Amino acid sequence: MLEKLENDKKRLIEYWLKNRVVKDKRFIEAFKKIRRENFILEEYKEEAYVDYPLPILEGQTISQPTTIAIMTQALELKKGHKVLEIGTGSGYQAAIISVIVGNKGKVITTEIKKSLVDFAKKNLKKAGIKNVKIIHSDGSSGYEREAPYDAIIVTAACPEIPKKLLEQLKIGGILVAPVGSIFLQKMLKVKKIGKNKFKIEDLGEFRFVPLKGKFGWK
Ligand code: SAH
């Protein structure tokens, strides 16, 4: 099985580089380093590097590798950055970010479901990741206590850009979130260029599980 995983992984990286899906070498390094098979359920491990989302617990999913690549790259991460994630899920996205921001950086990730908090904790421990802090809470209002952040990533579908998250972003910081209907969203990259000034870029259509909580879907 290990050989299949390595081959699939290599093929994905080649595809990204050839088609210029990923230009950020730091993402490729992190992707090589973190074993995705450690973040998915036993029965899907063989499919760890196939390019589609996989079920985790509670009807939630770990995003497909290409989606993770596009979102991570859009965050324009640097070593030492402090990053907030909404929707820990398996903990994989947080692990990838934590490698890129390095020891001096920090990832705060919020998850609304207790069973997924436990799942992610276990997975991150297996991967030997130490600079990720998981918060069991509704992240739709962000996490004020550690604000402001250099980057914020939402990995669940938002009905609109959560205002609280924009408030918790540093000036010059970037928020990446899928925004739209419950069935289809546009991936928005929002750069905060002034206290109340933003530059919005549309990265294309995606489909995520819904954001719950105060500023999510009822
Ligand atoms: N980033 C994850 C995948 C996320 S799936 C990974 O790498 O595996 C979306 C997750 O968002 C689910 O686990 C869901 O429970 C969580 N979620 C939904 N609404 C939330 C909210 N308001 N606050 C925090 N987490 C939320």
Side-chain angles (χ1 to χ4, degrees), residues 61-73:
T61 51
I62 174 171
S63 302
Q64 75 183 77
T66 295
T67 303
I68 292 180
I70 291 169
M71 292 179 84
T72 308
Q73 180 167 266

Side-chain angles (χ1 to χ4, degrees), residues 56 60-63 68 85-94 110-113 116 137-140 155-156 209-213:
I56 44 177
Q60 305 303 308
T61 51
I62 174 171
S63 302
I68 292 180
E85 178 189 38
I86 316 305
T88 313
S90 67
Y92 178 72
Q93 173 74 73
T110 66
E111 171 56 55
I112 204 164
K113 293 196 160 121
L116 284 157
S137 72
D138 170 11
S140 69
T155 61
V209 294
L211 180 76
K212 307 272 171 59

Side-chain angles (χ1 to χ4, degrees), residues 2-19 28 31-32 37 48-50 65:
L2 209 59
E3 201 185 321
K4 173 186 162 29
L5 293 181
E6 285 309 313
N7 285 338
D8 286 356
K9 192 174 194 172
K10 220 175 116 206
R11 205 171 314 135
L12 257 181
I13 294 172
E14 278 167 11
Y15 162 76
W16 286 336
L17 294 175
K18 189 164 161 248
N19 294 285
I28 300 284
F31 184 75
K32 282 184 182 161
E37 62 270 34
Y49 294 99
V50 185

Side-chain angles (χ1 to χ4, degrees), residues 14-100:
E14 278 167 11
Y15 162 76
W16 286 336
L17 294 175
K18 189 164 161 248
N19 294 285
R20 297 170 171 278
V21 177
V22 183
K23 292 177 203 108
D24 185 351
K25 291 281 153 48
R26 287 164 302 184
F27 171 76
I28 300 284
E29 288 313 308
F31 184 75
K32 282 184 182 161
K33 191 163 169 194
I34 299 294
R35 297 161 59 122
R36 193 167 187 264
E37 62 270 34
N38 281 343
F39 291 82
I40 56 193
L41 300 175
E42 199 58 47
E43 56 266 46
Y44 299 110
K45 281 206 188 323
E46 265 198 57
E47 293 159 89
Y49 294 99
V50 185
D51 207 13
Y52 43 64
L54 293 169
I56 44 177
L57 306 171
E58 308 246 16
Q60 305 303 308
T61 51
I62 174 171
S63 302
Q64 75 183 77
T66 295
T67 303
I68 292 180
I70 291 169
M71 292 179 84
T72 308
Q73 180 167 266
L75 294 172
E76 298 179 16
L77 300 171
K78 293 202 175 70
K79 286 235 175 308
H81 270 180
K82 190 196 256 191
V83 184
L84 175 68
E85 178 189 38
I86 316 305
T88 313
S90 67
Y92 178 72
Q93 173 74 73
I96 291 281
I97 294 172
S98 89
V99 170
I100 300 175

Side-chain angles (χ1 to χ4, degrees), residues 50-204:
V50 185
D51 207 13
Y52 43 64
L54 293 169
I56 44 177
L57 306 171
E58 308 246 16
Q60 305 303 308
T61 51
I62 174 171
S63 302
Q64 75 183 77
T66 295
T67 303
I68 292 180
I70 291 169
M71 292 179 84
T72 308
Q73 180 167 266
L75 294 172
E76 298 179 16
L77 300 171
K78 293 202 175 70
K79 286 235 175 308
H81 270 180
K82 190 196 256 191
V83 184
L84 175 68
E85 178 189 38
I86 316 305
T88 313
S90 67
Y92 178 72
Q93 173 74 73
I96 291 281
I97 294 172
S98 89
V99 170
I100 300 175
V101 301
N103 291 336
K104 296 210 172 76
K106 194 173 181 186
V107 185
I108 316 294
T109 178
T110 66
E111 171 56 55
I112 204 164
K113 293 196 160 121
K114 179 71 170 69
S115 61
L116 284 157
V117 169
D118 297 339
F119 182 57
K121 272 195 180 143
K122 197 181 81 203
N123 297 341
L124 287 162
K125 199 171 169 200
K126 252 191 295 181
I129 304 273
K130 299 202 175 78
N131 55 345
V132 173
K133 186 160 140 192
I134 306 179
I135 313 285
H136 179 205
S137 72
D138 170 11
S140 69
S141 4
Y143 189 66
E144 190 71 57
R145 214 189 306 172
E146 295 267 4
Y149 302 96
D150 296 289
I152 301 180
I153 176 169
V154 188
T155 61
C158 310
E160 53 185 53
I161 302 173
K163 302 264 174 323
K164 287 275 175 202
L165 298 185
L166 293 177
E167 283 169 21
Q168 291 171 26
L169 204 55
K170 285 183 192 170
I171 293 183
I174 293 173
L175 171 135
V176 174
V179 180
S181 74
I182 211 153
F183 305 109
L184 196 65
Q185 304 88 39
K186 279 189 190 334
M187 187 65 71
L188 301 184
K189 172 176 175 177
V190 184
K191 186 159 187 171
K192 186 166 180 173
I193 51 179
K195 195 160 184 288
N196 277 307
K197 224 173 156 208
F198 303 92
K199 195 182 131 225
I200 302 182
E201 205 183 314
D202 178 355
L203 305 180

